[in-house]
């Protein structure tokens, strides 16, 4: 079955949408029974008493309430881990991985997910986890919701159709999609297979970063985010409702599709964003702005100015800085940085080793920067305007330490000698020449 997709623009907006005319009550002071015999259900994404501007909630008008399900029983997904992780694999070493190999057998989005690293504590609603997914089968009889956090999905290869209680979202590489905590969803794989990255956010929901001296425009603009319009299916059968709760998985029988929401209104909703609409800010004189200038979304921590996790991109852009070493400078900092590559070449690692679908992790105070060949080239090349076009890299950047999993440290994709990319750096110091 095909569906014409329609979206509503704007980040954090309070939307009102109905799949049948008149299905949405005109106000909360509505009749004793909702139109069409629908049942009202409130989904809250924040505590009831947070500040009004931070309150996230959506009223769902559905055919059947969510309480209609069977008994949950334990389910096992060994590859998906939740913080806090143990210390068995923790290391300050710079780490890098090749892309995941082609999938063997069949796996849907959840079955094909594996955890690379995590920090914080999901039960305390602090921190985040980094996963990879590699799937070739659509979720058909399985519906899923995550009680531990939001999913920010970054496709790298292959399209996804995300079916949710609020409607449908089609997502492809160079776009992202966020599914908030508690929202039920399925992911269909329209093509042969799909691969990418997932950020699971235990802490505060993602928001747009403050722009400060930049002013009112720049970076990701609210109008470019899209949420689905109301859509529903009335389907009965023998289905499974899968829940992730406190790091464990559970499964309950359900006799109907939970996508029976005929109308809804609120501001707690899935959304997608096209990274190509990001308004990149960069220097037009000399030197480097901090990489925070590339932040798309941020999950703030309780310490102002320090992120639970940021989602940062390095998109196509003009490089025009004069009298400047243009690639990223060598640095150590308090943030821990997981980087992935969606397509093209990252300018600090142009000579292979960091390919689309791969990843790297530079932990708190771990030194990193351009490989030796990139440093030599950038130190001597003519500085003229250059369009860095064939690239789209991203970073999950957190103020908390990431602990890596056994999968990450024992995988055949781990590059044991990543640190050698800097071995060609030789001193050029000459005390007799400025």
């Amino acid at each position: 079955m095909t569906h014409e997709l329609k979206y509503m623009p704007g980040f954090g907006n309070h939307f009102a949408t109905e799949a049948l005319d008149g299905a949405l009550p005109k106000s909360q002071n509505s009749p004793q029974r909702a139109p069409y015999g629908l049942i009202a259900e409130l989904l809250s994404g924040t505590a009831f008493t947070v500040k009004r501007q931070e309150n996230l909630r959506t009223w769902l008008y559905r055919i059947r309430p969510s309480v209609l399900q069977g008994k949950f029983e334990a389910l096992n997904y060994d590859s998906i881990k939740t913080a806090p992780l143990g210390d068995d694999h923790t290391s300050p070493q710079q780490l890098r991985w090749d892309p995941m190999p082609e999938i063997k057998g069949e796996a849907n989005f959840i079955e094909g997910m594996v955890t690379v690293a995590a920090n914080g504590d999901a039960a305390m609603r602090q921190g985040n986890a980094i996963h990879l997914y590699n799937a070739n089968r659509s979720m058909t009889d399985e519906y899923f919701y995550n009680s531990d956090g939001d999913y920010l999905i970054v496709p790298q290869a292959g399209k996804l159709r995300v079916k949710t209680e609020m409607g449908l979202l089609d997502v492809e590489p160079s776009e992202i999609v966020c599914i908030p905590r508690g929202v039920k969803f399925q992911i269909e794989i329209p093509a042969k297979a799909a691969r990418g990255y997932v950020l699971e956010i235990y802490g505060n929901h993602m928001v747009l970063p403050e722009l400060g001296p930049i002013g009112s425009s720049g970076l990701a603009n609210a109008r470019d985010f899209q949420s689905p319009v109301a859509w529903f299916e009335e389907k009965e059968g023998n289905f499974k409702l899968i829940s992730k709760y406190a790091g464990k998985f559970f499964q309950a029988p359900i006799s109907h599709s939970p996508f029976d929401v005929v109308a809804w209104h609120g501001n707690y909703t899935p959304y997608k964003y096209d990274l190509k609409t990001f308004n990149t800010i960069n220097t037009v004189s000399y030197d480097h702005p901090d990489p925070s200038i590339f932040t798309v979304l941020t999950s703030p921590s309780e310490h102002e100015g320090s992120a639970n996790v940021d989602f940062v991109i390095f998109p196509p852009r003009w490089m025009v800085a004069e009298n400047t070493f243009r690639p990223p400078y060598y640095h150590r900092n308090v943030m821990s940085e997981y980087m992935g590559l969606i397509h093209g070449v990252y300018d600090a690692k142009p000579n292979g080793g960091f390919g689309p679908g791969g990843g790297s992790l530079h932990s708190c105070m771990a030194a990193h920067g351009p490989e030796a060949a990139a440093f030599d080239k950038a130190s001597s090349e003519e500085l003229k305007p250059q369009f860095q076009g064939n690239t789209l890299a991203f970073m999950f950047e957190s103020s908390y330490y990431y602990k890596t999993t056994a999968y990450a440290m024992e995988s055949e994709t781990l590059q044991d000698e990543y640190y050698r990319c800097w071995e060609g750096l030789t001193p050029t110091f000459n005390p007799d020449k400025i």
Side-chain angles (χ1 to χ4, degrees):
M1 179 183 295
T2 60
H3 305 276
E4 180 183 0
L5 295 192
K6 297 180 180 179
Y7 303 123
M8 300 178 291
F11 187 85
N13 286 359
H14 188 110
F15 298 115
T17 173
E18 55 188 13
L20 294 178
D21 290 342
L24 196 64
K26 299 301 182 186
S27 72
Q28 289 306 113
N29 184 23
S30 56
Q32 186 175 7
R33 290 187 63 85
Y36 295 102
L38 297 171
I39 296 172
E41 180 177 290
L42 177 65
L43 177 61
S44 293
T46 53
F48 298 137
T49 54
V50 300
K51 296 177 182 178
R52 179 183 286 260
Q53 65 267 28
E54 298 173 2
N55 204 299
L56 299 174
R57 64 174 189 168
T58 291
W59 280 98
L60 309 170
Y61 295 88
R62 57 193 321 146
I63 298 172
R64 303 169 187 82
S66 292
V67 293
L68 289 177
Q69 64 179 62
K71 183 179 180 180
F72 276 117
E73 296 181 351
L75 188 63
N76 190 23
Y77 287 111
D78 281 338
S79 62
I80 303 175
K81 307 298 182 184
T82 300
L85 302 181
D87 296 324
D88 295 351
H89 306 283
T90 302
S91 170
Q93 183 66 52
Q94 305 101 328
L95 302 171
R96 191 166 70 181
W97 296 268
D98 293 325
M100 295 177 74
E102 185 174 339
I103 189 170
K104 298 178 182 178
E106 288 192 346
N108 65 29
F109 178 79
I110 302 300
E111 295 165 343
M113 192 183 298
V114 62
T115 307
V116 173
N119 59 30
D121 187 333
M124 297 299 292
R125 296 190 176 180
Q126 183 184 59
N128 60 93
I130 297 167
H131 314 285
L132 305 175
Y133 71 87
N134 199 1
N136 60 4
R137 180 176 75 83
S138 296
M139 298 171 69
T140 53
D141 296 335
E142 313 97 337
Y143 303 90
F144 183 85
Y145 73 93
N146 186 356
S147 299
D148 291 342
D150 301 345
Y151 278 147
L152 179 69
I153 302 169
V154 184
Q156 187 273 316
K159 297 181 180 180
L160 304 177
R161 166 156 284 194
V162 183
K163 302 172 71 173
T164 78
E165 295 176 89
M166 284 80 166
L168 307 175
L169 292 164
D170 277 349
V171 190
E172 60 185 39
S174 297
E175 296 180 321
I176 59 171
V177 62
C178 184
I179 306 173
R181 181 195 306 262
V183 172
K184 296 169 188 170
F185 70 90
Q186 280 182 330
I187 291 186
E188 295 180 349
I189 311 296
K192 181 179 178 181
R195 181 177 72 181
Y197 310 83
V198 180
L199 179 66
E200 184 179 8
I201 306 156
Y202 310 137
N204 292 314
H205 299 291
M206 285 289 197
V207 296
L208 292 172
E210 299 295 341
L211 293 180
I214 294 174
S216 59
S217 300
L219 309 187
N221 292 303
R223 63 172 295 187
D224 294 323
F225 289 78
Q226 296 179 311
S227 291
V229 300
W231 164 88
F232 73 97
E233 62 180 13
E234 190 174 5
K235 185 170 68 172
E236 295 185 349
N238 296 317
F239 307 127
K240 293 178 274 189
L241 179 64
I242 300 171
S243 171
K244 182 175 184 287
Y245 175 78
K248 297 183 179 181
F249 290 84
F250 301 86
Q251 174 181 292
I254 185 171
S255 61
H256 64 280
S257 167
F259 303 147
D260 61 356
V261 177
V262 181
W264 60 269
H265 73 85
N267 60 354
Y268 192 59
T269 173
Y271 57 84
K272 77 170 196 171
Y273 174 72
D274 186 346
L275 299 175
K276 295 188 294 295
T277 66
F278 186 79
N279 184 6
T280 308
I281 305 295
N282 210 341
T283 183
V284 291
S285 56
Y286 67 91
D287 210 353
H288 288 260
D290 291 328
S292 49
I293 205 74
F294 298 111
T295 302
V296 180
L297 293 165
T298 181
S299 166
S301 73
E302 304 311 311
H303 180 67
E304 185 175 356
S306 186
N308 174 58
V309 62
D310 287 333
F311 174 62
V312 178
I313 64 171
F314 301 98
R317 60 202 183 276
W318 279 97
M319 311 287 276
V320 299
E322 297 182 318
N323 300 317
T324 298
F325 179 77
R326 287 181 177 173
Y329 42 80
Y330 296 103
H331 60 289
R332 297 172 294 158
N333 62 312
V334 298
M335 305 292 276
S336 292
E337 305 171 0
Y338 177 89
M339 180 170 281
L341 185 62
I342 299 171
H343 67 75
V345 177
Y346 180 56
D347 57 336
K349 302 288 191 297
N351 293 305
F354 184 51
S360 64
L361 177 62
H362 302 128
S363 298
C364 174
M365 293 303 172
H368 53 290
E371 61 191 14
F375 175 82
D376 291 341
K377 180 176 183 294
S379 299
S380 57
E381 67 181 349
E382 180 184 358
L383 293 180
K384 56 185 179 180
Q386 178 185 17
F387 184 61
Q388 191 80 23
N390 179 29
T391 187
L392 182 55
F394 73 89
M395 194 158 62
F396 300 144
E397 185 178 52
S398 178
S399 61
Y400 308 132
Y401 286 21
Y402 281 116
K403 295 182 178 180
T404 48
T405 61
Y407 164 82
M409 302 306 288
E410 298 169 6
S411 170
E412 62 183 21
T413 64
L414 178 65
Q415 299 177 14
D416 289 331
E417 298 188 343
Y418 167 44
Y419 65 93
R420 292 188 179 277
C421 75
W422 295 289
E423 284 187 343
L425 291 167
T426 56
T428 58
F429 173 67
N430 184 345
D432 298 321
K433 182 179 180 180
I434 296 179

